[in-house]
Amino acid sequence: GNFPNDGPVVAYGKTGIGKSFWLASKVDYFLHKHPGKTAAIYTLEMGEEHWKHRNLGMYPSLNDVKDRLHVSGVVSTIEQIVSEVMSRKFDFVGIDDIDNLVQQNSAEEYERIYRKVKEICRFMKIPVIVLAQPNRVAKLSGKFLGHYDIAWSGAAENSAALLIALQKANSMDMNDQMFITEDNDMFYQ
């Protein structure tokens, strides 16, 4: 029933699917369920104020727990995140968008970043949700996203405790038999 803490939860989906809003809903739920705990969001795709404006508007109940929610839009390296999480001892961490942490677009760099995130989970024993993009082929296809469709998927697969593909069934090729859809094309079973 809870997110694992022995490796990151990697949530991925196409641009505009609502990954940031999904993460905000998880933080909102976590902080309301655990009144004595804290959370941090590291936003690498937008500034701190922009993140707060968008997500506090979408989830007004976050205002009730914002004193326990740290949002940072100024980190640029995984080392900065690791240092801050270790020193401030957050109980839940969200990284929105891991692709902006890489210094060079290579398999080795993605492996390094994902390993560092996994260390946060293991050493701090906390859940960490990482938002990621699908690879170029998956972005251009109309198929359901699978675990091989994450950008630099090997790095994500090797480190993640859980992979979650966020997608809209009504925008997919309904002949793709990965998931059988219901009559209502917004759901699948």
Side-chain angles (χ1 to χ4, degrees):
N2 294 318
F3 281 121
N5 60 12
D6 56 347
V9 173
V10 179
Y12 58 104
K14 294 179 182 176
T15 302
I17 198 71
K19 294 182 297 291
S20 297
F21 288 137
W22 180 84
L23 175 59
S25 75
K26 302 308 161 229
V27 170
D28 183 39
Y29 178 80
F30 178 85
L31 290 174
H32 280 90
K33 181 148 176 82
H34 304 283
K37 298 198 177 211
T38 60
I41 297 293
Y42 294 96
T43 173
L44 293 122
E45 67 172 5
M46 65 185 82
E48 168 188 338
E49 292 306 317
H50 186 191
W51 192 95
K52 286 180 181 178
H53 175 74
R54 285 183 63 200
N55 291 292
L56 290 175
M58 180 65 105
Y59 300 103
S61 58
L62 273 171
N63 284 301
D64 301 335
V65 294
K66 66 182 177 185
D67 60 318
R68 295 184 288 121
L69 174 60
H70 172 71
V71 179
S72 173
V74 297
V75 299
S76 60
T77 68
I78 190 62
E79 289 76 20
Q80 290 171 322
I81 292 175
V82 169
S83 176
E84 191 166 290
V85 170
M86 297 292 198
S87 66
R88 297 190 60 181
K89 302 195 182 323
F90 295 116
D91 300 298
F92 181 103
V93 172
I95 300 174
D96 183 2
D97 167 13
I98 196 161
D99 299 290
N100 287 314
L101 278 177
V102 299
Q103 304 299 312
Q104 60 184 9
N105 209 13
S106 69
E108 294 80 18
E109 179 68 355
Y110 273 86
E111 280 286 343
R112 186 182 77 77
I113 299 294
Y114 274 109
R115 268 196 316 271
K116 290 287 189 186
V117 173
K118 185 173 185 167
E119 287 175 6
I120 294 172
C121 300
R122 286 184 39 244
F123 298 145
M124 299 293 294
K125 295 183 179 22
I126 62 171
V128 177
I129 296 178
V130 173
L131 302 184
Q133 297 295 322
N135 62 41
R136 184 172 174 79
V137 172
K139 283 181 187 178
L140 299 174
S141 75
K143 69 181 188 81
F144 282 100
L145 297 175
H147 62 282
Y148 296 120
D149 295 324
I150 305 169
W152 301 98
S153 64
E157 291 172 53
N158 291 340
S159 296
L162 180 63
L163 300 171
I164 299 174
L166 302 175
Q167 49 202 335
K168 292 180 184 172
N170 66 346
S171 66
M172 301 294 132
D173 175 5
M174 291 301 121
N175 294 320
D176 182 345
Q177 294 299 305
M178 179 180 251
F179 299 101
I180 309 302
T181 57
E182 295 277 349
D183 286 338
N184 178 344
D185 67 357
M186 293 297 292
F187 302 100
Y188 60 84
Q189 53 182 350

